[in-house]
Amino acid sequence: AASTLENESWIAGTNIVTETIPTKEFTFPVVIRGGFTGVECALSERPEGHRSVIDGKNNFDTFNFSNTQSITIDSIEFLRGKYRGLKKTPSAGDVTLTNCVFYGCTIGHGNWDGQGNPNENYKYGGGGAGLYGSGSAKATVVDCRFEGNIIDSKGGSGGFGGGLYVGSFGGGADIYRCSFVTNYMMRNYDSSTARMAALHVYNTRATVDGCSFYGHYADGIADVHGNCSGSVFRRCSFVGNYGGGSGVLSVKLDNATDTALVENCTFAYNVSHGLNCVRGATAVTNCIFYGNLAKVNATAAADLRVAAGATATVDYCLFAVPEEDGSTICVSEATAGTLEIGQNCIY
């Protein structure tokens, strides 16, 4: 039987990565904590709100691992990873990230959902953090910030999830109170497939609660894709993003009968459809759609799009545009799917 004891590692100060770090294999429960000054004898002595730093200086990744038992990573800033800040390779252990920052990390091309280029450097999504599970593993990401991470679309085969990639967690994923800010796609205009600047959830039922998505640029900002039925976006704000053809929040489930819920969310001042329902049945309730446009200088709003194989049921929502835009069209017509707007919506 596995040991119930947890091994803890404490990290202090700023740590510069000066060589390629091999993937660490954890076969026991482990907790890795930052935020220490180097003189503490107990966790209670750690200064409140502090984080330690691991800096790849754009030359090296900062932390790669696999785990068959649980791992918790707390209060660490992962800066300037060459391909990503943190990578969990496919493995069956749970992973928890708390109070971490992922800043200025770049994901290379050819990494589509872990099925593309065989080069391990490019294989997994997530410029900031790439988490790839297996079996019944669960991912938990709480109070983290993903900022200024880049998807490189070089060569026409792009990355997914510039800030955070979460894939193949049979136990689901909880992503709470995280901020995603100005992650973007370095596009070469060569039929790039780089998508989802902030968050890509793949084959994982996810609850995304209390998160903010501001100032991104890419073909898509956040999505759930594949076997993600039962996923929820709740109390999230999507403001000032450029989402291209994929929209700001995209729901593309495996089957037309798979379900997703978007509730108490705000979509405002985005250049792209606020919510893009590609496949599955999405319920939208108590949301605000304000000032979203299909493109710069557009005269009609672009709040919702419903594609073939998708259904969107919308109620108790507010649709509005700034008065100076002069548009009265706030809800896009369904392009091929079914759009049901309840009588409790306000225009």
Side-chain angles (χ1 to χ4, degrees), residues 2-8 26-31 67-72:
S3 171
T4 59
L5 299 176
E6 289 186 330
N7 295 271
E8 286 215 13
F26 294 102
T27 58
F28 47 85
V30 63
V31 177
N67 63 308
T68 57
Q69 298 292 320
S70 64
I71 184 170
T72 296

Side-chain angles (χ1 to χ4, degrees), residues 69-156:
Q69 298 292 320
S70 64
I71 184 170
T72 296
I73 300 171
D74 171 57
S75 299
I76 298 176
E77 294 189 12
F78 297 90
L79 306 185
R80 297 185 292 181
K82 183 175 182 180
Y83 298 109
R84 61 195 52 76
L86 177 148
K87 179 175 74 174
K88 169 184 162 68
T89 60
S91 47
D94 296 347
V95 58
T96 299
L97 307 179
T98 60
N99 191 36
C100 291
V101 172
F102 301 85
Y103 179 82
C105 303
T106 303
I107 182 165
H109 60 283
N111 67 332
W112 196 89
D113 289 328
Q115 304 300 320
N117 195 315
N119 185 332
E120 288 295 318
N121 286 332
Y122 298 115
K123 192 174 180 183
Y124 304 104
L131 306 179
Y132 210 94
S134 174
S136 61
K138 180 176 181 178
T140 303
V141 184
V142 179
D143 295 326
C144 292
R145 187 171 84 246
F146 302 84
E147 181 176 355
N149 302 290
I150 303 170
I151 312 172
D152 180 6
S153 65
K154 181 180 178 182

Side-chain angles (χ1 to χ4, degrees), residues 271-287:
V271 180
S272 183
H273 289 90
L275 176 60
N276 185 16
C277 302
V278 182
R279 189 183 303 120
T282 303
V284 186
T285 184
N286 285 323
C287 292

Side-chain angles (χ1 to χ4, degrees), residues 9-32:
S9 296
W10 292 0
I11 299 174
T14 296
N15 305 270
I16 307 299
V17 181
T18 59
E19 60 184 8
T20 300
I21 299 177
T23 299
K24 177 66 176 178
E25 297 181 0
F26 294 102
T27 58
F28 47 85
V30 63
V31 177
I32 301 173

Side-chain angles (χ1 to χ4, degrees), residues 2-345:
S3 171
T4 59
L5 299 176
E6 289 186 330
N7 295 271
E8 286 215 13
S9 296
W10 292 0
I11 299 174
T14 296
N15 305 270
I16 307 299
V17 181
T18 59
E19 60 184 8
T20 300
I21 299 177
T23 299
K24 177 66 176 178
E25 297 181 0
F26 294 102
T27 58
F28 47 85
V30 63
V31 177
I32 301 173
R33 300 189 192 276
F36 296 93
T37 64
V39 299
E40 295 85 351
C41 296
L43 178 60
S44 60
E45 297 174 359
R46 183 176 63 170
E48 184 177 355
H50 282 215
R51 299 186 187 93
S52 298
V53 174
I54 303 178
D55 189 349
K57 301 192 76 171
N58 298 127
N59 295 316
F60 302 97
D61 280 1
T62 54
F63 185 40
N64 301 331
F65 69 92
S66 67
N67 63 308
T68 57
Q69 298 292 320
S70 64
I71 184 170
T72 296
I73 300 171
D74 171 57
S75 299
I76 298 176
E77 294 189 12
F78 297 90
L79 306 185
R80 297 185 292 181
K82 183 175 182 180
Y83 298 109
R84 61 195 52 76
L86 177 148
K87 179 175 74 174
K88 169 184 162 68
T89 60
S91 47
D94 296 347
V95 58
T96 299
L97 307 179
T98 60
N99 191 36
C100 291
V101 172
F102 301 85
Y103 179 82
C105 303
T106 303
I107 182 165
H109 60 283
N111 67 332
W112 196 89
D113 289 328
Q115 304 300 320
N117 195 315
N119 185 332
E120 288 295 318
N121 286 332
Y122 298 115
K123 192 174 180 183
Y124 304 104
L131 306 179
Y132 210 94
S134 174
S136 61
K138 180 176 181 178
T140 303
V141 184
V142 179
D143 295 326
C144 292
R145 187 171 84 246
F146 302 84
E147 181 176 355
N149 302 290
I150 303 170
I151 312 172
D152 180 6
S153 65
K154 181 180 178 182
S157 182
F160 283 69
L164 173 62
Y165 174 102
V166 178
S168 298
F169 283 87
D174 291 334
I175 304 169
Y176 295 159
R177 300 187 305 274
C178 292
S179 61
F180 297 82
V181 184
T182 61
N183 303 286
Y184 67 99
M185 174 180 66
M186 186 183 295
R187 186 170 186 178
N188 293 293
Y189 295 96
D190 51 6
S191 66
S192 166
T193 56
R195 295 191 178 99
M196 307 309 153
L199 171 64
H200 179 55
V201 177
Y202 179 68
N203 283 352
T204 301
R205 176 188 48 78
T207 298
V208 184
D209 194 334
C211 296
S212 57
F213 301 81
Y214 296 160
H216 297 89
Y217 174 90
D219 186 4
I221 308 307
D223 77 335
V224 286
H225 184 134
N227 183 15
C228 302
S229 186
S231 290
V232 177
F233 281 80
R234 178 182 296 119
R235 292 183 294 234
C236 294
S237 56
F238 302 83
V239 180
N241 302 287
Y242 177 91
S246 293
V248 174
L249 174 59
S250 174
V251 178
K252 187 176 182 181
L253 308 178
D254 273 347
N255 305 295
T257 56
D258 290 347
T259 62
L261 173 64
V262 180
E263 65 177 354
N264 300 102
C265 292
T266 297
F267 301 82
Y269 296 111
N270 299 292
V271 180
S272 183
H273 289 90
L275 176 60
N276 185 16
C277 302
V278 182
R279 189 183 303 120
T282 303
V284 186
T285 184
N286 285 323
C287 292
I288 297 173
F289 296 85
Y290 186 86
N292 302 297
L293 301 175
K295 59 183 179 180
V296 177
N297 297 324
T299 58
D303 295 320
L304 295 171
R305 178 180 180 271
V306 186
T311 300
T313 304
V314 184
D315 210 352
Y316 295 97
C317 291
L318 168 67
F319 296 90
V321 294
E323 184 176 346
E324 61 270 19
D325 286 353
S327 172
T328 58
I329 306 173
C330 299
V331 183
S332 299
E333 292 295 328
T335 57
T338 301
L339 175 60
E340 302 175 356
I341 302 177
Q343 63 182 1
N344 299 296
C345 290

